Amino acid sequence: MFAAAVPAGCPPRLAPQVEVQRIELDEQSWVDLARGWLQGASALFEMLTAQVPWSQGRVFRYERYQDEPRLGAWYPAGAPPHAVLDEARDWLQHRYRVRFDGCALAWYRNGRDGVAFHRDREMRWLDETIIAVLTLGARRPFLLRPRAERSEQHAPGGGATHDLAPGAGDLIVMGGRCQAAWEHSVPRVAGLVAGRVSVQWRWTSRRGARERGPSYRAPRVFSREGRRPAT
């Protein structure tokens, strides 16, 4: 169920009361979904897209660097681009009893921008994490699928089992072993002109096995035998 529309021109503020729906993905992985968590999301979207010093990230794909199909930014704790994001951080820290270093922003400028199925491996310790994602702007698919053999991921929708489809002001929180056992994606949408901004807060307990392998932003070095990654 989607939250009722907020009048245009409403300043950004957290909703005074909001329902948080828990989706149990498996015995150790879960997602919380709060529709309409932030009111006045349109005003915040317009401010961020106009004033944030966005940067172009690069990833290593097919043995060369490519521009990431979205723009990004980072703000340390206590210095967000808008005061309401400090309030949002405090709310999240109180509810989930963790502390966040700061917030990352991603701007999907139109339907040609997106991100394929992935896990947030940059956190390295994935057995116990909290990742909160606030959506501003256009409603986009937000897909989840369990990690599977590559052959199973060629199923319709890439094997996705959930589409949370967050809209402006909606909050998604992925927790437990979600980053170890599940993957998520914001797929491209043909013909979509409107943009979407996500604000993300991340925490890991740093317990359990450390994720191995290179960052997706790092180049891969191959051996001459079988083109396998060199170790």
Side-chain angles (χ1 to χ4, degrees), residues 9-210:
C10 173
R13 62 173 182 264
L14 298 184
Q17 292 183 336
V18 65
E19 178 184 359
V20 180
Q21 175 191 2
R22 172 65 58 94
I23 302 171
E24 302 286 353
L25 299 174
D26 59 39
E27 292 183 355
Q28 296 177 292
S29 309
W30 51 265
V31 173
D32 282 350
L33 178 62
R35 303 286 187 190
W37 182 66
L38 180 81
Q39 299 178 342
S42 296
L44 184 58
F45 173 83
E46 296 296 336
M47 188 278 281
L48 294 178
T49 55
Q51 299 183 22
V52 166
W54 299 98
S55 63
Q56 176 66 69
R58 306 195 79 196
V59 294
F60 198 78
R61 292 285 187 273
Y62 309 112
E63 302 186 43
R64 64 186 178 90
Y65 278 106
Q66 299 178 348
D67 286 345
E68 201 170 12
R70 57 180 179 175
L71 302 181
W74 164 260
Y75 287 86
H82 193 287
V84 75
L85 297 181
D86 255 347
E87 298 176 31
R89 176 175 172 265
D90 290 345
W91 188 98
L92 291 164
Q93 291 185 152
H94 178 75
R95 180 178 179 87
Y96 295 101
R97 300 182 182 278
V98 301
R99 295 196 66 81
F100 300 107
D101 292 336
C103 63
L105 280 67
W107 181 12
Y108 301 84
R109 294 157 290 186
N110 50 52
R112 293 188 299 275
D113 282 351
V115 60
F117 276 108
H118 67 288
R119 302 175 297 136
D120 283 12
R121 294 179 61 250
E122 304 297 311
M123 300 175 71
R124 292 304 183 187
W125 288 269
L126 305 183
D127 284 347
E128 184 183 13
T129 64
I130 298 289
I131 299 180
V133 181
L134 167 64
T135 286
L136 309 168
R139 188 179 302 279
R140 292 280 296 266
F142 189 101
L143 307 181
L144 291 162
R145 73 180 182 190
R147 292 186 67 191
E149 296 296 331
R150 192 173 297 273
S151 60
E152 297 178 32
Q153 295 173 356
H154 290 296
T161 56
H162 299 73
D163 181 3
L164 303 181
D170 291 350
L171 173 71
I172 293 171
V173 181
M174 298 177 282
R177 296 193 74 251
C178 193
Q179 299 307 306
W182 289 72
E183 297 176 325
H184 57 281
S185 167
V186 179
R188 294 175 175 175
V189 179
L192 180 65
V193 175
R196 170 186 181 263
V197 166
S198 69
V199 185
Q200 309 135 37
W201 297 266
R202 293 179 173 86
W203 169 88
T204 174
S205 69
R206 299 176 69 89
R207 291 197 287 266
R210 192 175 190 274

